[in-house]
Amino acid sequence: TNAVPFVMGIVVSVLMGMALTAPISSAAIGAMIFVLPADMTIAQAMASNDYRGLCIASGAAIVGCCCQMIGFAVQSRKDNPVGMVVSVGIGTSMLQFKNILKNPLVWLPTIIASAILGPVSTCWLHIVCMGSSAGMGTAGLVGQIGTISSMGVSAWQTWVGIGVLELVAPALIVFGLDLLFRKIGWIKEGDLKI
């Protein structure tokens, strides 16, 4: 990630997001990968060449996971009642996995959003979300709490990261892509019914 932050922003964001939606544990992946030595603070890690990339990659991971959850909530708005949309948005995007198996094209808007926003995190904002929180997305807002815990409440990047990269931008990008995909017939009414 230190060497090629743009490319790794895409790779980490897309793969962690896909892991979150697939029936595997992205939180466990985050807990295994995004950890620092017990005696090291995040500020020390960010100043270290050895751990800086790991910290920045954790930000791409949380962004990718948020793109999946917020994105699928936005996409499923036409096919499901409000309660189910909220369940996807702050519960789990895994509820859509059966629909992905039926029509894999429904997964593209959230994957594209992850690929767009991951590098924004790794190259510009340097969002950090260590541990299992990096694989939680917006589930119970654990990812947002993890971002605050990792970055602190006083850093402007914390709030821009949460507000823009983790919440608003995924919704807007996926909304636009969903409209386009429905217009060209790749996604049809009922494709995201839970």
Side-chain angles (χ1 to χ4, degrees):
T1 304
N2 279 336
V4 284
F6 185 85
V7 173
M8 288 306 292
I10 295 170
V11 170
V12 171
S13 184
V14 167
L15 292 180
M16 280 297 287
M18 291 177 78
L20 177 111
T21 300
I24 58 177
S25 178
S26 56
I29 294 168
M32 290 186 295
I33 295 175
F34 302 114
V35 291
L36 297 173
D39 60 343
M40 181 176 275
T41 67
I42 291 173
Q44 292 169 329
M46 288 294 284
S48 160
N49 280 338
D50 294 334
Y51 291 100
R52 186 176 196 284
L54 180 70
C55 292
I56 294 170
S58 73
I62 186 61
V63 168
C65 292
C66 290
C67 285
Q68 292 290 317
M69 295 184 71
I70 297 295
F72 271 118
V74 167
Q75 277 187 272
S76 66
R77 74 200 180 281
K78 291 187 173 187
D79 295 329
N80 296 294
V82 172
M84 191 57 70
V85 171
V86 171
S87 295
V88 172
I90 61 172
T92 179
S93 57
M94 206 178 300
L95 293 169
Q96 287 293 348
F97 197 70
K98 72 175 180 74
N99 292 323
I100 292 168
L101 295 176
K102 291 178 187 175
N103 179 7
L105 293 174
V106 301
W107 212 353
L108 277 179
T110 58
I111 291 171
I112 293 168
S114 298
I116 292 169
L117 296 176
V120 175
S121 177
T122 56
C123 295
W124 180 50
L125 282 178
H126 301 146
I127 303 300
V128 178
C129 185
M130 298 303 288
S132 61
S133 300
M136 290 294 289
T138 54
L141 304 179
V142 172
Q144 290 61 57
I145 293 166
T147 303
I148 293 168
S149 174
S150 296
M151 297 182 67
V153 295
S154 60
W156 66 269
Q157 291 98 328
T158 302
W159 302 107
V160 172
I162 290 171
V164 176
L165 291 185
E166 295 180 16
L167 300 172
V168 176
L172 294 176
I173 291 169
V174 172
F175 181 77
L177 290 169
D178 181 61
L179 290 178
L180 174 67
F181 281 30
R182 287 177 189 270
K183 185 171 184 161
I184 60 178
W186 288 2
I187 298 175
K188 296 175 181 62
E189 187 177 338
D191 278 354
L192 292 141
K193 180 87 173 136
I194 297 175

